[in-house]
Amino acid sequence: MTTVSTSRLAAGESVLTGDVVGTDFGLPLVRPTRTGRGSRVRVVRARCRTSGGVVVWFTDGTKTPPLHGRTSWVVAQPGTGAPAPSRGVA
């Protein structure tokens, strides 16, 4: 199981999250998970610094509440339902 900190997440990275835990202005909020059981694979769209921490936005329209930059994420392994990262035209 590979982990990466919030401050090192890159766009296109597939990570494991839990189910929706609430909403923020109508957007579903999710949090990182430590286990593969019951988790969902989401692809990082972007991360941005806010006054309360770092918010991670996902391609499916979900986001996190402000998190500490050292919060760790489990990277989804190939074959777990994550879309393959695009590497450009071959």
Side-chain angles (χ1 to χ4, degrees):
M1 220 172 14
T2 305
T3 61
V4 64
S5 70
T6 300
S7 61
R8 301 242 185 239
L9 276 179
E13 188 102 47
S14 297
V15 295
L16 299 179
T17 68
D19 288 331
V20 174
V21 294
T23 60
D24 182 24
F25 294 103
L27 297 172
L29 294 174
V30 295
R31 292 189 183 274
T33 185
R34 295 238 182 237
T35 64
R37 183 177 302 153
S39 61
R40 299 228 7 214
V41 175
R42 297 189 200 275
V43 179
V44 175
R45 182 178 67 167
R47 66 179 165 80
C48 84
R49 287 192 50 118
T50 64
S51 59
V54 177
V55 173
V56 180
W57 296 79
F58 297 100
T59 56
D60 64 355
T62 58
K63 70 175 197 167
T64 64
L67 301 170
H68 193 281
R70 286 179 275 179
T71 301
S72 64
W73 296 80
V74 175
V75 176
Q77 300 300 320
T80 57
S86 61
R87 298 288 181 193
V89 177

